[in-house]
């Protein structure tokens, strides 16, 4: 759907920030957006890994307009530095960086649980502080997950130690990010800015087109993975709903895009359904207040 040859340079003049752009789905967003002419800011915590990604993109698109923006979404100090350094207009932000861990004790630099702290609070803090740089018609895309249905958000105990399965806590972090995006869109109702969600389905490295220095997968594993292709997809294809949400004329504030195939695991971008909880204005407002309190950052959208 986002084949470069079909959409040459249709994004000239647009600047798009992709967090977690050095690997996986974020890398593919960056490569495809750059091929289409966008200036891409790669928001990455490791400059070395970001440079590897830049090298891979430039190998495909020598005239790609790229900038590395160092940012660790698990550190409020790093987010503040990146926000102060950004210094240019941003037309869209894809809040893609994400972490999944089974380590119950894992925390961000600032104390909250690693998954909620990075996946949600990090993006909340980043957007709060880059607001002055967002274009009047900016789009924000929050990368959600099918797992958002696995857990309740519970804004009152947002940054507290978690209980139960790690997948449930991961789902909670994604539900929080999605709820935040829908709330942001409601707060932007009187402006031309918009916020929406997108998810990549079930996207795996062994089905992804290889790129030098990125997620090297042994050939036998790639060969075996082909058997799973009817059910899941590569991270290159997983990027498509995110890119669609960030760039397509038909994508609107409050939308949720994902793969349109069976179980939303794979397929071309389509509008999909989010849970009632992440769409709830009451939960959204409570979550917003809880995020301000957890980060110490006031976000007046
Ligand atoms: N793959 C799927 O099937 C799937 C399904 C649903 C949703 N998602 C979501 O899609 C997004 C991308 O997933 P993926 O499969 O591409 O994951 P991935 O291959 O593990 O890539 C994750 C990216 O996030 C970055 N990141 C993690 N913690 C960070 C931090 N503290 N600061 C800055 N960057 C950080 C990573 O950077 P480092 O290299 O520095 O670690 C990496 O660039 C995630 O939000 C994930 O939750 C994925």
């Amino acid at each position: 759907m986002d084949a470069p040859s079909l959409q040459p340079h249709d994004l000239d003049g647009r600047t798009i920030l992709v967090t977690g752009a050095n690997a996986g789905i974020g890398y593919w967003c960056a490569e495809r957006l750059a091929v289409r002419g966008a200036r891409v800011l790669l928001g990455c915590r490791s400059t070395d890994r970001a440079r590897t990604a830049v090298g891979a993109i430039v190998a495909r698109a020598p005239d790609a307009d790229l900038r590395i923006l160092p940012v660790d979404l698990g550190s409020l100090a790093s987010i503040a530095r990146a926000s102060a350094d950004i210094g240019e207009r941003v037309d869209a932000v894809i809040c893609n960086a994400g972490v999944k861990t089974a380590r119950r004790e894992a925390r961000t630099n600032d104390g909250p649980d690693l998954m909620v702290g990075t996946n949600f609070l990090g993006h909340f803090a980043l957007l709060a502080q880059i607001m002055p740089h967002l274009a009047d018609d900016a789009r924000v895309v929050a990368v959600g997950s099918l797992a958002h249905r696995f857990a309740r958000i519970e804004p009152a105990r947002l940054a507290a130690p978690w209980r139960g399965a790690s997948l449930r806590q991961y789902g909670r972090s994604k539900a929080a990010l999605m709820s935040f995006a829908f709330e942001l869109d409601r707060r932007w109702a009187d402006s031309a800015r918009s916020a929406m969600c997108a998810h990549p389905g079930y996207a795996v490295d062994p089905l992804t087109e290889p790129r030098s220095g990125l997620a090297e997968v042994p050939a036998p594993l790639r060969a075996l993975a082909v058997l799973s292709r009817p059910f899941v997809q590569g991270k290159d294809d997983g990027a498509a709903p995110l890119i669609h949400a960030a760039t397509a004329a038909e994508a609107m504030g409050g939308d949720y895009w994902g793969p349109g195939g069976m179980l939303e695991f794979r397929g071309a971008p389509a509008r999909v359904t989010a849970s009632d909880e992440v769409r709830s204005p009451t939960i959204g407002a409570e979550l917003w207040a809880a995020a301000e309190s957890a980060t110490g950052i006031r976000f007046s959208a």
Side-chain angles (χ1 to χ4, degrees), residues 32-186:
R32 293 198 166 161
L33 292 167
V35 165
R36 287 171 55 187
R39 171 168 169 77
V40 179
L41 309 187
L42 296 93
C44 302
R45 61 178 158 177
S46 157
T47 308
D48 282 350
R49 288 193 288 277
R51 283 202 190 106
T52 301
V54 165
I57 295 172
V58 169
R60 316 282 302 179
D63 59 348
D65 184 2
L66 306 171
R67 172 185 166 196
I68 295 170
L69 182 71
V71 60
D72 180 346
L73 274 301
S75 160
L76 292 174
S78 169
I79 293 166
R81 272 194 302 278
S83 306
D85 288 349
I86 201 162
E88 62 181 299
R89 190 204 70 239
V90 175
D91 297 295
V93 183
I94 301 182
C95 301
N96 163 81
V99 61
K100 192 194 279 178
T101 180
R103 289 191 305 119
R104 198 175 295 274
E105 70 286 2
R107 301 270 183 277
T108 68
N109 284 9
D110 310 292
D113 153 65
L114 187 68
M115 291 189 276
V116 164
T118 306
N119 303 354
F120 165 49
L121 291 173
H123 285 113
F124 179 89
L126 180 68
L127 283 164
Q129 293 172 93
I130 66 170
M131 273 281 285
H133 300 285
L134 294 183
D136 291 346
D137 61 350
R139 278 190 197 185
V140 168
V141 178
V143 179
S145 167
L146 289 164
H148 82 272
R149 295 180 179 279
F150 297 171
R152 306 293 312 280
I153 297 175
E154 297 182 287
R157 42 180 320 281
L158 190 64
W162 46 279
R163 312 176 281 231
S166 59
L167 186 57
R168 187 175 296 237
Q169 180 67 2
Y170 168 74
R172 193 169 163 238
S173 74
K174 289 280 139 182
L177 181 62
M178 292 173 65
S179 171
F180 162 53
F182 291 137
E183 177 65 17
L184 182 59
D185 191 63
R186 284 188 289 271

